Amino acid sequence: MKKILLTGVSGQVGHALQQQLALELADEWQVVACDRQQLDLTQPEHIRRVVRDIAPDLIINPAAYTAVDKAESERELADAINATAAGVLAEEAARLKIGLIHFSTDYVYDGTKNGVYTEDDAVNPLSVYGASKLAGEEAIRRVGLPHLILRTSWVYGSYGKNFLKTIIRLAQARENLRIVADQYGAPTADIAIARAVTELVTRWHPEDAAQTGVYHLVNRGETSWCGFASEIVAQYRALETLRGWPALAVKEIAPIATAEYPTPAKRPANSRLTTAKLEQTFGVTLPEWSIALNQVMAELVVSVAD
Ligand SMILES: NC(=O)c1ccc[n+]([C@@H]2O[C@H](COP(=O)([O-])OP(=O)(O)OC[C@H]3O[C@@H](n4cnc5c(N)ncnc54)[C@H](OP(=O)(O)O)[C@@H]3O)[C@@H](O)[C@H]2O)c1
């Protein structure tokens, strides 16, 4: 039985991946799932020891420092987890002659492009978080091992803290919501990522150097945060009676400009990423974002306290 070392299993993507890999690939792959206690990414020597002890055949690293605004004042910690640790995992994978699947972000772009981003477009992160994720990509490329760097965006799911949960909580409590409507991208469901990555595990041939590189991995289509919030409320209302969910108080979702909702970290206005490279190289496609939202809603447990 081959072994996958999976990091960040208490996070959205790590959690979804742990479940999906067990569901789909348990006959072939044993998943050694590590949380922060088992694998502390701020400790390079600890990382090296754990990887050598487990001796995996593949490393998948969804763990990251993801507090985008807090990162503005915690640059060292963000760099340690998102850049240094990614490089150490890559070095250890290279030592074992295995591949690394790593996650990156739309926040490596500055969002000024007129149109959809391809993987070859110039990067120019606007935030400490984006810069730390880009530094992680570069650290992996420097090691030169077989790798897939998967840039995803606007991740949410039924597990963990995210925009979906926040909107449901706010819509239960307030009649009026004001949501940013001038940033565009694709909300991407954790389960959609997990299904796609599980397919990649079976379709990727690390020995084929042409497959190594950066890929966009996002749900299809695009919307704004305001459009996403409106769709969450619409889908919630379509299900609330059937599921016995508490009724929402919200009456109006007003679009606002980014300038009206200042945050410590700047975000790209345009996060539209094409997934053509992923589709052409591996035949992996992700559903439209609103369909993926529907699938997440089907699993959602809602309480008044959510
Ligand atoms: N969330 C998004 O909207 C988004 C958008 C674009 C790209 N991405 C990228 O997608 C990937 C997955 O994101 P996600 O949404 O699943 O993140 P998440 O839910 O915030 O989970 C992050 C995971 O990293 C772990 N972690 C943090 N610091 C660690 C440390 N020092 N040692 C070991 N583990 C540590 C966390 O553990 P604890 O639970 O112990 O903190 C958690 O399991 C990341 O690479 C992220 O940068 C995310």
Side-chain angles (χ1 to χ4, degrees), residues 4-18 21 31-34 39 41 59-66 81-82 86 89 100-104 129 133 148 150 152 155 190 193-194 197:
I4 293 175
L5 191 171
L6 176 67
T7 69
V9 286
S10 60
Q12 302 184 84
V13 171
H15 176 80
L17 258 171
Q18 187 180 13
L21 290 167
V31 178
V32 184
C34 294
L39 179 59
L41 292 177
I59 298 176
I60 306 182
N61 180 39
Y65 180 107
T66 56
I81 296 167
N82 292 347
L89 282 172
L100 170 67
I101 298 180
H102 178 76
F103 292 86
S104 188
Y129 166 76
K133 294 295 293 183
L148 303 179
L150 307 173
T152 188
V155 179
D190 55 2
I193 297 175
V197 172

Side-chain angles (χ1 to χ4, degrees), residues 136-158:
E137 292 190 9
E138 286 163 351
I140 291 167
R141 282 192 279 272
R142 271 199 304 275
V143 174
L145 82 167
H147 66 264
L148 303 179
I149 292 171
L150 307 173
R151 289 184 186 148
T152 188
S153 70
W154 299 19
V155 179
Y156 71 96
S158 61

Side-chain angles (χ1 to χ4, degrees), residues 195-212:
R195 285 175 189 152
V197 172
T198 301
E199 288 183 26
L200 286 175
V201 169
T202 61
R203 296 181 191 187
W204 178 33
H205 300 290
E207 66 283 1
D208 180 353
Q211 292 184 346
T212 275

Side-chain angles (χ1 to χ4, degrees), residues 74-244:
E74 288 191 342
R75 182 185 295 266
E76 275 183 27
L77 187 58
D79 280 343
I81 296 167
N82 292 347
T84 310
V88 174
L89 282 172
E91 284 169 10
E92 289 302 313
R95 193 174 165 271
L96 291 169
K97 299 189 169 42
I98 62 169
L100 170 67
I101 298 180
H102 178 76
F103 292 86
S104 188
T105 170
D106 53 322
Y107 287 10
V108 297
Y109 301 114
D110 63 17
T112 57
K113 185 178 177 186
N114 213 345
V116 175
Y117 277 94
T118 71
E119 290 83 348
D120 294 331
D121 280 319
V123 288
N124 181 31
L126 302 174
S127 62
V128 167
Y129 166 76
S132 72
K133 294 295 293 183
L134 180 58
E137 292 190 9
E138 286 163 351
I140 291 167
R141 282 192 279 272
R142 271 199 304 275
V143 174
L145 82 167
H147 66 264
L148 303 179
I149 292 171
L150 307 173
R151 289 184 186 148
T152 188
S153 70
W154 299 19
V155 179
Y156 71 96
S158 61
Y159 176 86
K161 283 187 193 151
N162 54 55
F163 186 81
L164 166 68
K165 303 283 201 66
T166 302
I167 291 299
I168 291 175
R169 182 168 40 78
L170 293 176
Q172 286 177 345
R174 298 190 198 166
E175 291 194 354
N176 298 293
L177 301 184
R178 289 157 44 81
I179 311 287
V180 169
D182 57 359
Q183 291 170 28
Y184 297 92
T188 300
D190 55 2
I191 50 173
I193 297 175
R195 285 175 189 152
V197 172
T198 301
E199 288 183 26
L200 286 175
V201 169
T202 61
R203 296 181 191 187
W204 178 33
H205 300 290
E207 66 283 1
D208 180 353
Q211 292 184 346
T212 275
V214 176
Y215 295 85
H216 293 161
L217 192 153
V218 294
N219 276 123
R220 293 179 84 91
E222 63 182 62
T223 187
S224 67
W225 290 108
C226 187
F228 186 24
S230 302
E231 184 64 21
I232 290 168
V233 167
Q235 291 201 13
Y236 184 105
R237 289 209 157 117
L239 288 169
E240 69 182 10
T241 309
L242 183 72
R243 303 285 298 274

